[in-house]
Amino acid sequence: MRRLITVGSVKGAPGVTTTVLALAAVWPDRADHGVRPVVVEADVSGGDLAVRFGCPHTPGLLDVATSARQEQPGSLLAAATDLPFGVRVVASPAGGGACGEAVRLVAGPGQRVLRGDESDRGTVLLDMGRIGDDASGVVGAAEAVVLVSRGGADALAHAYAHFSEAGPRVERYVLAVVGPCPYAAGEITATLGVGRVIFLPWDPKAADVLAGRARSALRARGWRASPLMAAAGAAARQLSGTDEVVTKGLSGDLAGLGAVPPPGGHLRRAAGLAPKESAS
């Protein structure tokens, strides 16, 4: 079955949709048996992607919600369309009303459409907009909840209040701080009670591409990498469980030769580095 990851905010407009699209665009190829993730617009106030990119919103979220009422629900992928930079999305029409009811269905019985059958692989990234009571069902069922916030004390205070009300579920939360932030990750985790914090830098060029205002390559690696996409790539590797610990300095150089010093230990023997045996 597919895994569910919800992305949302509790105050203002800190860039939830931009964050979701960035994560999907750089989702690791080796995750989920190579199956690309699907972004689902599940905002009770309506979607933005159909207007931004001129893509159809039907089939889309409303069709997924309608399918959830049926004894034999349809396929989530049948309601998806591709954006110019290769991200698959299930779009919603602008405005609330029908979208609010669709989100409630998706958060309840519609979860079986999102997750699919036992043989289905992949990840569904739910763009929730502001996380409210309508989404409590899917937030409770998600493997991870990414809470997007700006880095000021006022915005983080709202995040702290949300974490305080989350109870044991806070263990599944990841705080994504967008833009400048005067606080270190350790200080945020200790104060807010959330275990994981990621920082997404302010990157107007990449944000314009993700908002449909510009056409350009979204580079996540190399010396020309976009700061936002590089940070999103690191976050996507964490969320997908494909993150690798990067060892730097002498340990990293020796690791390339097959000699990795264990924490607090000594170098193990490797070809060309082992000391000579004593003759006695």
Side-chain angles (χ1 to χ4, degrees):
M1 299 177 74
R2 304 184 189 96
R3 86 178 103 197
L4 297 181
I5 296 177
T6 61
V7 186
S9 68
V10 292
K11 181 72 173 179
V16 173
T17 299
T18 299
T19 299
V20 173
L21 294 179
L23 290 172
V26 293
W27 200 256
D29 293 336
R30 62 182 181 276
D32 304 322
H33 301 276
V35 177
R36 288 188 296 158
V38 181
V39 172
V40 176
E41 281 194 299
D43 189 334
V44 295
S45 62
D48 299 314
L49 298 179
V51 176
R52 285 187 185 183
F53 297 97
C55 64
H57 60 74
T58 180
L61 179 70
L62 302 188
D63 300 276
V64 172
T66 300
S67 174
R69 299 176 184 269
Q70 301 172 2
E71 184 176 347
Q72 296 293 331
S75 167
L76 176 69
L77 300 185
T81 187
D82 280 272
L83 297 185
F85 40 85
V87 171
R88 295 192 296 186
V89 302
V90 175
S92 298
C99 286
E101 178 61 23
V103 171
R104 284 187 285 273
L105 281 169
V106 167
Q111 285 188 35
R112 60 178 182 159
V113 184
L114 298 179
R115 289 192 176 276
D117 299 325
E118 290 292 337
S119 60
D120 287 320
R121 296 289 181 268
T123 297
V124 176
L125 297 168
L126 287 166
D127 178 355
M128 307 299 301
R130 289 193 189 182
I131 298 177
D133 293 338
D134 293 325
S136 60
V138 74
V139 169
E143 281 80 352
V145 182
V146 181
L147 190 72
V148 184
S149 172
R150 294 300 173 95
D154 53 346
L156 294 176
H158 289 285
Y160 172 71
H162 183 79
F163 294 145
S164 299
E165 297 171 355
R169 292 185 304 178
V170 75
E171 296 180 355
R172 291 185 278 113
Y173 272 83
V174 178
L175 179 65
V177 180
V178 177
C181 180
Y183 310 108
E187 185 177 5
I188 293 174
T189 58
T191 304
L192 271 60
V194 62
R196 291 179 289 175
V197 177
I198 58 176
F199 293 97
L200 300 176
W202 190 249
D203 186 350
K205 289 185 177 180
D208 281 346
V209 176
L210 296 170
R213 294 188 293 266
R215 292 289 186 95
S216 181
L218 293 170
R219 300 180 183 275
R221 292 184 175 85
W223 66 276
R224 296 181 63 187
S226 152
L228 171 59
M229 303 311 294
R237 290 191 293 275
Q238 290 185 36
L239 290 168
S240 65
T242 60
D243 196 21
E244 296 177 355
V245 177
V246 178
T247 308
K248 298 181 179 180
L250 177 60
S251 295
D253 294 339
L254 293 177
L257 298 174
V260 182
H266 301 286
L267 294 178
R268 69 184 184 187
R269 295 179 181 180
L273 292 178
K276 292 182 179 180
E277 297 287 350
S278 171
S280 57

